[in-house]
Amino acid sequence: MTQGDQPGPTPAPSRTDVADAGSEPSLALALGGGGARGLAHIVILEALDELGVRPRVIAGTSIGALIGAAYAAGMTGAEIRAHCRELFQKRTELLRRFFSRWEGRFAELWSSVRLPVSGGDRLLKALLPRELPETFEELQLPLMVVTTDFYAQDQQIITTGPLVSALTASAALPTLMKPIEIDGRLLIDGGFVNPLPFDLLIGAADIVAAIDVSAGAQPSGGNGPSFIETLIGASQITLRSIIREKLQAAAPDILIRPNVGPYKVLDFFKSEEILDASAVSKDEFKRALEAKLATPRRA
């Protein structure tokens, strides 16, 4: 089920719920979009595991929704890292895994993988961890998935129903993947309306943390970007501009920006480099969260 442009979708805990949740401050986590740069979210989840902290709710956009779903399903940060390592260490391994999980007829495959991809939900399901359940209701943690309604031109927050189709819609970047229809709405990548959805979590926990992987200024290339790189890069400029404006109006309690600037949206085969470059942010997040957890609960 999709919900419109609302400040607080129903599955998010209310401030009253937070007040009754126990003696320690509670955490809500927002994971932003940014393609392969979003692999940096994994080190943040590893930090949570090491601190023994579980967020009360996760809001994710695009890659943030994918990784957030894996964590909400009960996977640890280390398990998500291992899955990505297996998936992206070799192109041949990626193809082997994909072919072993493809649920359609092979004759359908060749039409599905042309850009923009038409069978995005089946392609994504073949690559996602097996631990992901079929529906939101089977997740261990509440999850908000941000998508964009193409015709209504506003955000749609999905919190119930089939999981993979919602994740596919949130990551359906035009030129790469065709829009996904859910509940009569044609949905595309959530980054066009809310690339860092910390605002959805205001009041849902004592501490709201947001992980911004939109990077920012990019090094110029010798030959210039390709056609696809230009289109994707333009969308990332839009994403970055939206985040900048949002932060002028309000800010999360913790904002972490991993060092992912040198990497492109489709640099998934540089996953180890991205994770290594993000290691500093893991320590930064742990220090910031520990300081907030030591602060007395809000009245």
Side-chain angles (χ1 to χ4, degrees):
M1 182 180 72
T2 61
Q3 299 186 25
D5 192 0
Q6 303 175 29
T10 51
S14 68
R15 187 174 294 279
T16 302
D17 294 330
V18 170
D20 297 333
S23 58
E24 292 187 357
S26 55
L27 172 70
L29 181 65
L31 302 178
R37 300 168 187 150
L39 295 172
H41 291 317
I42 294 172
V43 304
I44 302 300
L45 302 181
E46 290 175 332
L48 290 177
D49 293 336
E50 291 169 13
L51 292 173
V53 175
R54 292 280 281 175
R56 287 176 54 76
V57 58
I58 299 173
T61 299
S62 196
I63 185 70
L66 298 179
I67 292 179
Y71 198 67
M75 294 181 69
T76 65
E79 288 170 341
I80 298 171
R81 178 191 285 259
H83 174 79
C84 291
R85 180 182 291 121
E86 178 185 355
L87 203 59
F88 300 122
Q89 63 181 351
K90 293 180 181 179
R91 286 174 172 80
T92 53
E93 175 58 26
L94 178 64
L95 290 173
R96 183 202 66 77
R97 182 184 181 88
F98 172 75
F99 281 114
S100 69
R101 301 266 316 262
W102 176 253
E103 294 181 352
R105 294 178 301 171
F106 284 110
E108 299 173 329
L109 179 59
W110 311 119
S111 60
S112 295
V113 296
R114 295 173 183 172
L115 295 179
V117 171
S118 58
D121 51 348
R122 287 185 295 169
L123 285 169
L124 196 61
K125 187 174 183 179
L127 301 177
L128 286 170
R130 294 183 183 275
E131 288 83 352
L132 256 66
E134 294 292 326
T135 67
F136 280 83
E137 289 77 6
E138 298 171 85
L139 294 171
Q140 296 182 15
L141 296 173
L143 176 69
M144 303 181 192
V145 172
V146 180
T147 70
T148 301
D149 186 319
F150 181 79
Y151 289 114
Q153 299 182 16
D154 62 11
Q155 72 175 355
Q156 292 295 317
I157 314 302
I158 306 178
T159 57
T160 62
L163 181 60
V164 173
S165 58
L167 297 177
T168 306
S170 186
L173 186 65
T175 73
L176 295 183
M177 193 179 298
K178 289 186 177 181
I180 303 296
E181 184 174 341
I182 300 177
D183 292 343
R185 297 179 180 273
L186 200 64
L187 305 177
I188 62 173
D189 194 305
F192 288 103
V193 287
N194 200 343
L196 188 62
F198 64 87
D199 54 305
L200 302 179
L201 302 174
I202 301 301
D206 296 296
I207 304 164
V208 175
I211 314 303
D212 178 11
V213 293
S214 61
Q218 301 295 301
S220 59
N223 298 322
S226 67
F227 175 70
I228 292 294
E229 288 174 336
T230 301
L231 291 175
I232 294 175
S235 72
Q236 296 302 296
I237 293 171
T238 301
L239 180 152
R240 185 72 174 180
S241 298
I242 294 171
I243 293 175
R244 187 182 302 116
E245 293 300 316
K246 285 183 60 178
L247 290 172
Q248 289 182 358
D253 299 296
I254 298 173
L255 176 62
I256 302 295
R257 286 174 159 155
N259 181 29
V260 291
Y263 302 99
K264 299 178 181 179
V265 170
L266 299 180
D267 276 345
F268 287 98
F269 290 102
K270 295 182 179 180
S271 59
E272 289 299 320
E273 292 182 34
I274 294 172
L275 289 166
D276 289 343
S278 306
V280 173
S281 296
K282 178 180 180 179
D283 294 332
E284 178 188 357
F285 177 68
K286 289 176 76 171
R287 290 193 300 270
L289 182 55
E290 286 177 321
K292 291 291 183 182
L293 290 172
T295 303
R297 290 172 58 90
R298 297 170 181 169

